[in-house]
Amino acid sequence: MRFGFVIPWADADEVGELAVAAEDHGWDGIFVWEPVWGVDSWVSLGLAAVRTSKIRLGTMLTPPSRRRPWELASQVATVDRLSDGRVTLSVGLGAPDSGMEAFGEVCDRRERAELMDECLEIACGLWNGQPFEYDGKHYQVKPSEFPAIGHTTQVPRVPIWCVGALGYERSMRRALQWDGLIPQVLDDGTARQANLEELNGIKEQLPDRDYDVIIEGVWSEHSPAAWADAGATWWLETQWDAVGQATPVLAAFDRLRDGPPR
């Protein structure tokens, strides 16, 4: 199992400093959340990329439904080149109550799923090089000869982790076609992380290839080893309760310096 840390709250320069602390203290990855409005996650990760040399860098997570596919593809590829191939893109539908509704973003679940699928198809197509064209329900791209540096360092593309709703065939099929599963369960329309028993129940569905299963939590409340036995390959330490504290960045530094829960 590898260990990452989700930064709960920080400005771009602080993300760079936290990434250095994570690398110095044995963590395998640093992840940032992507708000509708606030600190730009990919600018932050770009800064972290030039200040580190080993740890993976990514979002937790990006809702592609509210992103222009070509802009997202550009940002991800740029940070992948800056980091010499250390980017992971985590995607999901996102939570409408996280500001999406307030800013007029698409909140219909079906439409967000359609937009996410098309966005990822376009991003992967652009990373493969020009000329590229696409004719979808929501997006159309015509071949362009405009000079651009669009490739990623990782070949054929960056790893993509995707939320999969257990028990929902279309959602799981989408997640299993990519490179990692962020397992969720919908209880009366409210999403939560799958528990140990539920994760154990889908082990046979996981692809027989290099494939990640990502779990978030606080190590003092859960056993990462038990999650590893259930098939998880990444443990992402979270400190969401620190957002309401006076010094969330200092709390993040303190936790990072303690090292991962090996």
Side-chain angles (χ1 to χ4, degrees):
M1 176 173 276
R2 285 178 284 183
F3 297 91
F5 185 84
V6 182
I7 296 174
W9 188 269
D11 208 343
D13 189 56
E14 294 166 328
V15 170
E17 295 175 0
L18 288 164
V20 172
E23 186 166 273
D24 288 345
H25 291 85
W27 295 83
D28 299 300
I30 200 88
F31 299 83
V32 298
W33 62 295
E34 188 166 316
V36 177
W37 152 250
V39 178
D40 187 279
S41 58
W42 293 98
V43 171
S44 301
L45 291 173
L47 185 58
V50 299
R51 292 188 176 181
T52 59
S53 61
K54 295 181 295 185
I55 59 171
R56 293 206 67 81
L57 309 165
T59 51
M60 199 63 189
L61 46 70
T62 295
S65 63
R66 62 176 182 79
R67 300 298 306 278
R68 294 286 188 178
W70 34 92
E71 292 179 349
L72 179 61
S74 299
Q75 291 173 316
V76 173
T78 300
V79 179
D80 197 53
R81 294 193 300 273
L82 276 174
S83 66
D84 195 25
R86 292 185 284 124
V87 166
T88 297
L89 174 63
S90 303
V91 298
L93 298 186
D97 60 359
S98 62
M100 296 174 69
E101 185 174 3
F103 284 87
E105 297 287 352
V106 174
C107 293
D108 178 76
R109 187 175 185 85
R110 181 184 297 273
E111 187 173 356
R112 281 184 291 151
E114 293 174 350
L115 288 165
M116 178 167 71
D117 288 341
E118 291 195 14
C119 180
L120 293 178
E121 289 177 16
I122 292 170
C124 292
L126 291 171
W127 291 333
N128 284 331
Q130 292 288 345
F132 169 76
E133 60 181 320
Y134 186 84
D135 185 16
K137 178 180 178 180
H138 300 279
Y139 299 111
Q140 291 75 43
V141 179
K142 295 181 179 180
S144 171
E145 297 299 332
F146 189 82
I149 302 173
H151 64 277
T152 59
T153 297
Q154 298 176 88
V155 177
R157 55 172 171 75
V158 303
I160 296 175
W161 294 345
C162 184
V163 170
L166 275 59
Y168 289 78
E169 183 180 352
R170 183 174 297 180
S171 176
M172 287 298 294
R173 186 169 62 246
R174 176 186 297 113
L176 295 176
Q177 74 174 325
W178 295 109
D179 309 294
L181 168 68
I182 304 169
Q184 286 191 351
V185 173
L186 295 178
D187 285 336
D188 297 325
T190 301
R192 63 168 173 82
Q193 181 172 265
N195 60 37
L196 272 170
E197 182 179 358
E198 291 162 338
L199 184 59
N200 268 310
I202 65 162
K203 287 177 68 173
E204 294 183 358
Q205 299 180 34
L206 300 178
D208 186 20
R209 55 181 170 84
D210 189 13
Y211 189 80
D212 284 314
V213 177
I214 299 91
I215 294 296
E216 297 180 73
V218 180
W219 76 271
S220 59
E221 299 176 359
H222 301 278
S223 167
W227 285 104
D229 290 339
T233 62
W234 273 86
W235 170 271
L236 302 187
E237 186 84 4
T238 58
Q239 280 191 324
W240 296 119
D241 58 342
V243 175
Q245 299 179 12
T247 57
V249 175
L250 292 180
F253 271 118
D254 288 343
R255 178 64 193 91
L256 286 170
R257 289 167 180 151
D258 285 339
R262 297 196 182 282

mmCIF file of all heavy atoms in Angstrom, residues 108-146:
data_model
loop_
_atom_site.group_PDB
_atom_site.id
_atom_site.type_symbol
_atom_site.label_atom_id
_atom_site.label_comp_id
_atom_site.label_asym_id
_atom_site.label_seq_id
_atom_site.Cartn_x
_atom_site.Cartn_y
_atom_site.Cartn_z
ATOM 1 N N ASP A 108 -27.464 18.259 -12.752
ATOM 2 C CA ASP A 108 -28.158 17.013 -13.077
ATOM 3 C C ASP A 108 -27.149 15.877 -13.166
ATOM 4 O O ASP A 108 -26.150 15.971 -13.882
ATOM 5 C CB ASP A 108 -28.898 17.160 -14.407
ATOM 6 C CG ASP A 108 -29.590 15.874 -14.818
ATOM 7 O OD1 ASP A 108 -30.638 15.558 -14.252
ATOM 8 O OD2 ASP A 108 -29.049 15.172 -15.714
ATOM 9 N N ARG A 109 -27.409 14.793 -12.442
ATOM 10 C CA ARG A 109 -26.440 13.711 -12.332
ATOM 11 C C ARG A 109 -26.154 13.052 -13.683
ATOM 12 O O ARG A 109 -25.000 12.799 -14.021
ATOM 13 C CB ARG A 109 -26.961 12.669 -11.330
ATOM 14 C CG ARG A 109 -25.948 11.578 -11.007
ATOM 15 C CD ARG A 109 -26.465 10.642 -9.934
ATOM 16 N NE ARG A 109 -25.438 9.689 -9.555
ATOM 17 C CZ ARG A 109 -24.506 9.923 -8.649
ATOM 18 N NH1 ARG A 109 -24.480 11.079 -8.026
ATOM 19 N NH2 ARG A 109 -23.605 9.011 -8.362
ATOM 20 N N ARG A 110 -27.172 12.779 -14.455
ATOM 21 C CA ARG A 110 -26.974 12.125 -15.743
ATOM 22 C C ARG A 110 -26.148 13.004 -16.691
ATOM 23 O O ARG A 110 -25.237 12.517 -17.364
ATOM 24 C CB ARG A 110 -28.327 11.799 -16.385
ATOM 25 C CG ARG A 110 -28.216 11.079 -17.727
ATOM 26 C CD ARG A 110 -29.587 10.869 -18.336
ATOM 27 N NE ARG A 110 -30.422 10.018 -17.508
ATOM 28 C CZ ARG A 110 -30.421 8.693 -17.605
ATOM 29 N NH1 ARG A 110 -29.639 8.088 -18.490
ATOM 30 N NH2 ARG A 110 -31.204 7.968 -16.833
ATOM 31 N N GLU A 111 -26.473 14.289 -16.730
ATOM 32 C CA GLU A 111 -25.737 15.182 -17.628
ATOM 33 C C GLU A 111 -24.288 15.344 -17.188
ATOM 34 O O GLU A 111 -23.377 15.400 -18.022
ATOM 35 C CB GLU A 111 -26.423 16.545 -17.706
ATOM 36 C CG GLU A 111 -25.808 17.469 -18.762
ATOM 37 C CD GLU A 111 -26.572 18.760 -18.962
ATOM 38 O OE1 GLU A 111 -27.640 18.920 -18.326
ATOM 39 O OE2 GLU A 111 -26.097 19.609 -19.747
ATOM 40 N N ARG A 112 -24.061 15.397 -15.878
ATOM 41 C CA ARG A 112 -22.674 15.493 -15.398
ATOM 42 C C ARG A 112 -21.874 14.251 -15.797
ATOM 43 O O ARG A 112 -20.694 14.349 -16.150
ATOM 44 C CB ARG A 112 -22.646 15.655 -13.875
ATOM 45 C CG ARG A 112 -22.935 17.069 -13.400
ATOM 46 C CD ARG A 112 -22.804 17.184 -11.894
ATOM 47 N NE ARG A 112 -23.853 16.460 -11.204
ATOM 48 C CZ ARG A 112 -23.732 15.914 -9.994
ATOM 49 N NH1 ARG A 112 -22.574 15.979 -9.359
ATOM 50 N NH2 ARG A 112 -24.753 15.307 -9.424
ATOM 51 N N ALA A 113 -22.521 13.080 -15.761
ATOM 52 C CA ALA A 113 -21.838 11.848 -16.170
ATOM 53 C C ALA A 113 -21.500 11.897 -17.658
ATOM 54 O O ALA A 113 -20.406 11.495 -18.074
ATOM 55 C CB ALA A 113 -22.715 10.644 -15.858
ATOM 56 N N GLU A 114 -22.438 12.380 -18.478
ATOM 57 C CA GLU A 114 -22.182 12.500 -19.918
ATOM 58 C C GLU A 114 -21.031 13.460 -20.185
ATOM 59 O O GLU A 114 -20.141 13.168 -21.005
ATOM 60 C CB GLU A 114 -23.438 12.985 -20.628
ATOM 61 C CG GLU A 114 -24.586 11.997 -20.627
ATOM 62 C CD GLU A 114 -25.859 12.581 -21.212
ATOM 63 O OE1 GLU A 114 -25.910 13.811 -21.439
ATOM 64 O OE2 GLU A 114 -26.813 11.818 -21.454
ATOM 65 N N LEU A 115 -21.027 14.597 -19.497
ATOM 66 C CA LEU A 115 -19.962 15.587 -19.682
ATOM 67 C C LEU A 115 -18.613 15.027 -19.248
ATOM 68 O O LEU A 115 -17.589 15.266 -19.905
ATOM 69 C CB LEU A 115 -20.291 16.859 -18.901
ATOM 70 C CG LEU A 115 -21.425 17.718 -19.456
ATOM 71 C CD1 LEU A 115 -21.890 18.729 -18.411
ATOM 72 C CD2 LEU A 115 -20.974 18.445 -20.721
ATOM 73 N N MET A 116 -18.589 14.276 -18.143
ATOM 74 C CA MET A 116 -17.342 13.691 -17.671
ATOM 75 C C MET A 116 -16.787 12.706 -18.684
ATOM 76 O O MET A 116 -15.593 12.735 -19.008
ATOM 77 C CB MET A 116 -17.532 12.997 -16.323
ATOM 78 C CG MET A 116 -16.265 12.321 -15.798
ATOM 79 S SD MET A 116 -16.358 11.819 -14.062
ATOM 80 C CE MET A 116 -17.512 10.468 -14.171
ATOM 81 N N ASP A 117 -17.640 11.833 -19.213
ATOM 82 C CA ASP A 117 -17.181 10.846 -20.187
ATOM 83 C C ASP A 117 -16.589 11.525 -21.423
ATOM 84 O O ASP A 117 -15.515 11.144 -21.906
ATOM 85 C CB ASP A 117 -18.333 9.932 -20.600
ATOM 86 C CG ASP A 117 -18.738 8.965 -19.496
ATOM 87 O OD1 ASP A 117 -17.923 8.744 -18.582
ATOM 88 O OD2 ASP A 117 -19.868 8.434 -19.554
ATOM 89 N N GLU A 118 -17.278 12.530 -21.945
ATOM 90 C CA GLU A 118 -16.790 13.203 -23.140
ATOM 91 C C GLU A 118 -15.516 13.989 -22.853
ATOM 92 O O GLU A 118 -14.587 14.019 -23.676
ATOM 93 C CB GLU A 118 -17.870 14.122 -23.711
ATOM 94 C CG GLU A 118 -19.049 13.370 -24.292
ATOM 95 C CD GLU A 118 -19.946 14.232 -25.176
ATOM 96 O OE1 GLU A 118 -19.522 15.350 -25.556
ATOM 97 O OE2 GLU A 118 -21.075 13.800 -25.492
ATOM 98 N N CYS A 119 -15.448 14.622 -21.677
ATOM 99 C CA CYS A 119 -14.254 15.387 -21.312
ATOM 100 C C CYS A 119 -13.027 14.488 -21.277
ATOM 101 O O CYS A 119 -11.969 14.843 -21.808
ATOM 102 C CB CYS A 119 -14.469 16.061 -19.955
ATOM 103 S SG CYS A 119 -13.060 17.038 -19.376
ATOM 104 N N LEU A 120 -13.149 13.312 -20.673
ATOM 105 C CA LEU A 120 -12.007 12.403 -20.569
ATOM 106 C C LEU A 120 -11.620 11.849 -21.945
ATOM 107 O O LEU A 120 -10.431 11.687 -22.238
ATOM 108 C CB LEU A 120 -12.324 11.272 -19.600
ATOM 109 C CG LEU A 120 -12.494 11.686 -18.138
ATOM 110 C CD1 LEU A 120 -12.859 10.489 -17.280
ATOM 111 C CD2 LEU A 120 -11.236 12.358 -17.598
ATOM 112 N N GLU A 121 -12.605 11.556 -22.787
ATOM 113 C CA GLU A 121 -12.301 11.084 -24.130
ATOM 114 C C GLU A 121 -11.523 12.136 -24.917
ATOM 115 O O GLU A 121 -10.553 11.824 -25.622
ATOM 116 C CB GLU A 121 -13.598 10.735 -24.873
ATOM 117 C CG GLU A 121 -14.286 9.480 -24.367
ATOM 118 C CD GLU A 121 -15.595 9.218 -25.094
ATOM 119 O OE1 GLU A 121 -15.816 9.821 -26.163
ATOM 120 O OE2 GLU A 121 -16.396 8.417 -24.594
ATOM 121 N N ILE A 122 -11.937 13.385 -24.796
ATOM 122 C CA ILE A 122 -11.259 14.465 -25.514
ATOM 123 C C ILE A 122 -9.859 14.687 -24.963
ATOM 124 O O ILE A 122 -8.896 14.848 -25.721
ATOM 125 C CB ILE A 122 -12.093 15.759 -25.439
ATOM 126 C CG1 ILE A 122 -13.396 15.590 -26.237
ATOM 127 C CG2 ILE A 122 -11.297 16.956 -25.972
ATOM 128 C CD1 ILE A 122 -14.385 16.713 -26.039
ATOM 129 N N ALA A 123 -9.723 14.701 -23.636
ATOM 130 C CA ALA A 123 -8.401 14.909 -23.036
ATOM 131 C C ALA A 123 -7.419 13.839 -23.502
ATOM 132 O O ALA A 123 -6.294 14.149 -23.914
ATOM 133 C CB ALA A 123 -8.507 14.913 -21.514
ATOM 134 N N CYS A 124 -7.851 12.580 -23.461
ATOM 135 C CA CYS A 124 -6.965 11.495 -23.903
ATOM 136 C C CYS A 124 -6.639 11.621 -25.386
ATOM 137 O O CYS A 124 -5.510 11.354 -25.812
ATOM 138 C CB CYS A 124 -7.622 10.145 -23.619
ATOM 139 S SG CYS A 124 -7.768 9.746 -21.860
ATOM 140 N N GLY A 125 -7.617 12.042 -26.183
ATOM 141 C CA GLY A 125 -7.372 12.222 -27.602
ATOM 142 C C GLY A 125 -6.369 13.326 -27.881
ATOM 143 O O GLY A 125 -5.487 13.186 -28.738
ATOM 144 N N LEU A 126 -6.482 14.423 -27.146
ATOM 145 C CA LEU A 126 -5.541 15.532 -27.335
ATOM 146 C C LEU A 126 -4.139 15.143 -26.893
ATOM 147 O O LEU A 126 -3.152 15.543 -27.521
ATOM 148 C CB LEU A 126 -6.031 16.761 -26.561
ATOM 149 C CG LEU A 126 -7.294 17.431 -27.104
ATOM 150 C CD1 LEU A 126 -7.796 18.491 -26.131
ATOM 151 C CD2 LEU A 126 -7.034 18.054 -28.469
ATOM 152 N N TRP A 127 -4.040 14.383 -25.819
ATOM 153 C CA TRP A 127 -2.712 13.955 -25.356
ATOM 154 C C TRP A 127 -2.021 13.059 -26.387
ATOM 155 O O TRP A 127 -0.802 12.989 -26.442
ATOM 156 C CB TRP A 127 -2.824 13.201 -24.029
ATOM 157 C CG TRP A 127 -3.226 14.069 -22.877
ATOM 158 C CD1 TRP A 127 -3.000 15.414 -22.743
ATOM 159 C CD2 TRP A 127 -3.938 13.673 -21.701
ATOM 160 N NE1 TRP A 127 -3.533 15.876 -21.564
ATOM 161 C CE2 TRP A 127 -4.108 14.829 -20.898
ATOM 162 C CE3 TRP A 127 -4.447 12.459 -21.250
ATOM 163 C CZ2 TRP A 127 -4.759 14.803 -19.665
ATOM 164 C CZ3 TRP A 127 -5.095 12.421 -20.020
ATOM 165 C CH2 TRP A 127 -5.250 13.577 -19.237
ATOM 166 N N ASN A 128 -2.809 12.379 -27.210
ATOM 167 C CA ASN A 128 -2.224 11.514 -28.238
ATOM 168 C C ASN A 128 -1.681 12.294 -29.428
ATOM 169 O O ASN A 128 -0.989 11.723 -30.269
ATOM 170 C CB ASN A 128 -3.260 10.493 -28.730
ATOM 171 C CG ASN A 128 -3.475 9.371 -27.736
ATOM 172 O OD1 ASN A 128 -2.574 9.023 -26.979
ATOM 173 N ND2 ASN A 128 -4.673 8.796 -27.728
ATOM 174 N N GLY A 129 -1.996 13.589 -29.503
ATOM 175 C CA GLY A 129 -1.417 14.422 -30.550
ATOM 176 C C GLY A 129 -2.418 14.882 -31.588
ATOM 177 O O GLY A 129 -3.528 14.376 -31.695
ATOM 178 N N GLN A 130 -2.012 15.891 -32.340
ATOM 179 C CA GLN A 130 -2.826 16.454 -33.407
ATOM 180 C C GLN A 130 -2.508 15.765 -34.726
ATOM 181 O O GLN A 130 -1.410 15.227 -34.892
ATOM 182 C CB GLN A 130 -2.564 17.961 -33.517
ATOM 183 C CG GLN A 130 -3.064 18.773 -32.338
ATOM 184 C CD GLN A 130 -4.585 18.893 -32.308
ATOM 185 O OE1 GLN A 130 -5.260 18.603 -33.295
ATOM 186 N NE2 GLN A 130 -5.118 19.279 -31.167
ATOM 187 N N PRO A 131 -3.422 15.767 -35.705
ATOM 188 C CA PRO A 131 -4.766 16.362 -35.619
ATOM 189 C C PRO A 131 -5.734 15.453 -34.872
ATOM 190 O O PRO A 131 -5.632 14.232 -34.939
ATOM 191 C CB PRO A 131 -5.171 16.505 -37.081
ATOM 192 C CG PRO A 131 -4.435 15.421 -37.777
ATOM 193 C CD PRO A 131 -3.118 15.262 -37.054
ATOM 194 N N PHE A 132 -6.644 16.065 -34.134
ATOM 195 C CA PHE A 132 -7.633 15.324 -33.356
ATOM 196 C C PHE A 132 -9.002 15.933 -33.609
ATOM 197 O O PHE A 132 -9.149 17.159 -33.665
ATOM 198 C CB PHE A 132 -7.300 15.398 -31.861
ATOM 199 C CG PHE A 132 -8.406 14.882 -30.972
ATOM 200 C CD1 PHE A 132 -8.634 13.519 -30.847
ATOM 201 C CD2 PHE A 132 -9.236 15.765 -30.278
ATOM 202 C CE1 PHE A 132 -9.651 13.031 -30.039
ATOM 203 C CE2 PHE A 132 -10.257 15.292 -29.466
ATOM 204 C CZ PHE A 132 -10.460 13.918 -29.348
ATOM 205 N N GLU A 133 -10.005 15.091 -33.759
ATOM 206 C CA GLU A 133 -11.357 15.595 -33.907
ATOM 207 C C GLU A 133 -12.315 14.757 -33.064
ATOM 208 O O GLU A 133 -12.050 13.586 -32.769
ATOM 209 C CB GLU A 133 -11.793 15.573 -35.372
ATOM 210 C CG GLU A 133 -11.808 14.220 -36.037
ATOM 211 C CD GLU A 133 -12.223 14.330 -37.494
ATOM 212 O OE1 GLU A 133 -13.139 15.128 -37.792
ATOM 213 O OE2 GLU A 133 -11.623 13.635 -38.331
ATOM 214 N N TYR A 134 -13.427 15.386 -32.690
ATOM 215 C CA TYR A 134 -14.385 14.720 -31.812
ATOM 216 C C TYR A 134 -15.767 15.283 -32.090
ATOM 217 O O TYR A 134 -15.951 16.502 -32.214
ATOM 218 C CB TYR A 134 -14.013 14.966 -30.349
ATOM 219 C CG TYR A 134 -14.857 14.205 -29.365
ATOM 220 C CD1 TYR A 134 -14.564 12.886 -29.031
ATOM 221 C CD2 TYR A 134 -15.963 14.806 -28.763
ATOM 222 C CE1 TYR A 134 -15.346 12.179 -28.121
ATOM 223 C CE2 TYR A 134 -16.742 14.108 -27.846
ATOM 224 C CZ TYR A 134 -16.431 12.794 -27.528
ATOM 225 O OH TYR A 134 -17.198 12.097 -26.630
ATOM 226 N N ASP A 135 -16.747 14.404 -32.160
ATOM 227 C CA ASP A 135 -18.128 14.822 -32.392
ATOM 228 C C ASP A 135 -19.021 14.127 -31.373
ATOM 229 O O ASP A 135 -19.431 12.978 -31.556
ATOM 230 C CB ASP A 135 -18.557 14.462 -33.818
ATOM 231 C CG ASP A 135 -19.948 14.993 -34.147
ATOM 232 O OD1 ASP A 135 -20.438 15.874 -33.400
ATOM 233 O OD2 ASP A 135 -20.548 14.530 -35.137
ATOM 234 N N GLY A 136 -19.273 14.800 -30.271
ATOM 235 C CA GLY A 136 -20.068 14.222 -29.204
ATOM 236 C C GLY A 136 -21.380 14.950 -29.014
ATOM 237 O O GLY A 136 -21.728 15.873 -29.762
ATOM 238 N N LYS A 137 -22.113 14.550 -27.985
ATOM 239 C CA LYS A 137 -23.390 15.186 -27.678
ATOM 240 C C LYS A 137 -23.188 16.597 -27.147
ATOM 241 O O LYS A 137 -23.974 17.507 -27.445
ATOM 242 C CB LYS A 137 -24.143 14.335 -26.654
ATOM 243 C CG LYS A 137 -25.478 14.922 -26.210
ATOM 244 C CD LYS A 137 -26.168 14.016 -25.200
ATOM 245 C CE LYS A 137 -27.485 14.629 -24.726
ATOM 246 N NZ LYS A 137 -28.180 13.737 -23.737
ATOM 247 N N HIS A 138 -22.147 16.780 -26.354
ATOM 248 C CA HIS A 138 -21.924 18.065 -25.702
ATOM 249 C C HIS A 138 -20.751 18.854 -26.274
ATOM 250 O O HIS A 138 -20.711 20.082 -26.160
ATOM 251 C CB HIS A 138 -21.699 17.845 -24.202
ATOM 252 C CG HIS A 138 -22.846 17.193 -23.505
ATOM 253 N ND1 HIS A 138 -23.964 17.879 -23.091
ATOM 254 C CD2 HIS A 138 -23.060 15.886 -23.159
ATOM 255 C CE1 HIS A 138 -24.812 17.037 -22.506
ATOM 256 N NE2 HIS A 138 -24.289 15.828 -22.528
ATOM 257 N N TYR A 139 -19.770 18.166 -26.850
ATOM 258 C CA TYR A 139 -18.571 18.831 -27.353
ATOM 259 C C TYR A 139 -18.271 18.401 -28.782
ATOM 260 O O TYR A 139 -18.494 17.251 -29.161
ATOM 261 C CB TYR A 139 -17.357 18.485 -26.482
ATOM 262 C CG TYR A 139 -17.472 18.899 -25.036
ATOM 263 C CD1 TYR A 139 -17.597 17.934 -24.027
ATOM 264 C CD2 TYR A 139 -17.446 20.240 -24.668
ATOM 265 C CE1 TYR A 139 -17.689 18.300 -22.691
ATOM 266 C CE2 TYR A 139 -17.541 20.617 -23.338
ATOM 267 C CZ TYR A 139 -17.667 19.648 -22.354
ATOM 268 O OH TYR A 139 -17.762 20.016 -21.044
ATOM 269 N N GLN A 140 -17.766 19.357 -29.548
ATOM 270 C CA GLN A 140 -17.273 19.075 -30.891
ATOM 271 C C GLN A 140 -15.887 19.703 -31.022
ATOM 272 O O GLN A 140 -15.685 20.845 -30.616
ATOM 273 C CB GLN A 140 -18.205 19.639 -31.973
ATOM 274 C CG GLN A 140 -19.563 18.938 -32.080
ATOM 275 C CD GLN A 140 -20.517 19.319 -30.958
ATOM 276 O OE1 GLN A 140 -20.623 20.489 -30.592
ATOM 277 N NE2 GLN A 140 -21.216 18.328 -30.401
ATOM 278 N N VAL A 141 -14.960 18.943 -31.543
ATOM 279 C CA VAL A 141 -13.593 19.417 -31.751
ATOM 280 C C VAL A 141 -13.214 19.146 -33.199
ATOM 281 O O VAL A 141 -13.343 18.022 -33.673
ATOM 282 C CB VAL A 141 -12.592 18.711 -30.812
ATOM 283 C CG1 VAL A 141 -11.168 19.207 -31.064
ATOM 284 C CG2 VAL A 141 -12.974 18.922 -29.349
ATOM 285 N N LYS A 142 -12.759 20.192 -33.879
ATOM 286 C CA LYS A 142 -12.296 20.028 -35.255
ATOM 287 C C LYS A 142 -10.773 19.942 -35.267
ATOM 288 O O LYS A 142 -10.102 20.530 -34.402
ATOM 289 C CB LYS A 142 -12.759 21.207 -36.112
ATOM 290 C CG LYS A 142 -14.273 21.288 -36.263
ATOM 291 C CD LYS A 142 -14.669 22.464 -37.131
ATOM 292 C CE LYS A 142 -16.185 22.524 -37.290
ATOM 293 N NZ LYS A 142 -16.605 23.679 -38.135
ATOM 294 N N PRO A 143 -10.200 19.228 -36.234
ATOM 295 C CA PRO A 143 -8.733 19.113 -36.305
ATOM 296 C C PRO A 143 -8.085 20.489 -36.384
ATOM 297 O O PRO A 143 -8.567 21.378 -37.082
ATOM 298 C CB PRO A 143 -8.504 18.311 -37.590
ATOM 299 C CG PRO A 143 -9.764 17.562 -37.807
ATOM 300 C CD PRO A 143 -10.863 18.453 -37.298
ATOM 301 N N SER A 144 -7.014 20.660 -35.619
ATOM 302 C CA SER A 144 -6.306 21.933 -35.587
ATOM 303 C C SER A 144 -4.829 21.716 -35.870
ATOM 304 O O SER A 144 -4.232 20.745 -35.404
ATOM 305 C CB SER A 144 -6.464 22.594 -34.212
ATOM 306 O OG SER A 144 -5.630 23.728 -34.089
ATOM 307 N N GLU A 145 -4.275 22.613 -36.659
ATOM 308 C CA GLU A 145 -2.845 22.564 -36.937
ATOM 309 C C GLU A 145 -2.088 23.603 -36.116
ATOM 310 O O GLU A 145 -0.904 23.836 -36.337
ATOM 311 C CB GLU A 145 -2.597 22.799 -38.431
ATOM 312 C CG GLU A 145 -3.196 21.726 -39.331
ATOM 313 C CD GLU A 145 -2.629 20.350 -39.062
ATOM 314 O OE1 GLU A 145 -1.461 20.260 -38.615
ATOM 315 O OE2 GLU A 145 -3.360 19.353 -39.270
ATOM 316 N N PHE A 146 -2.798 24.226 -35.156
ATOM 317 C CA PHE A 146 -2.151 25.243 -34.338
ATOM 318 C C PHE A 146 -1.053 24.592 -33.519
ATOM 319 O O PHE A 146 -1.269 23.563 -32.873
ATOM 320 C CB PHE A 146 -3.175 25.900 -33.412
ATOM 321 C CG PHE A 146 -2.649 27.110 -32.691
ATOM 322 C CD1 PHE A 146 -2.624 28.345 -33.320
ATOM 323 C CD2 PHE A 146 -2.168 27.013 -31.398
ATOM 324 C CE1 PHE A 146 -2.132 29.466 -32.656
ATOM 325 C CE2 PHE A 146 -1.679 28.118 -30.734
ATOM 326 C CZ PHE A 146 -1.659 29.351 -31.369
#
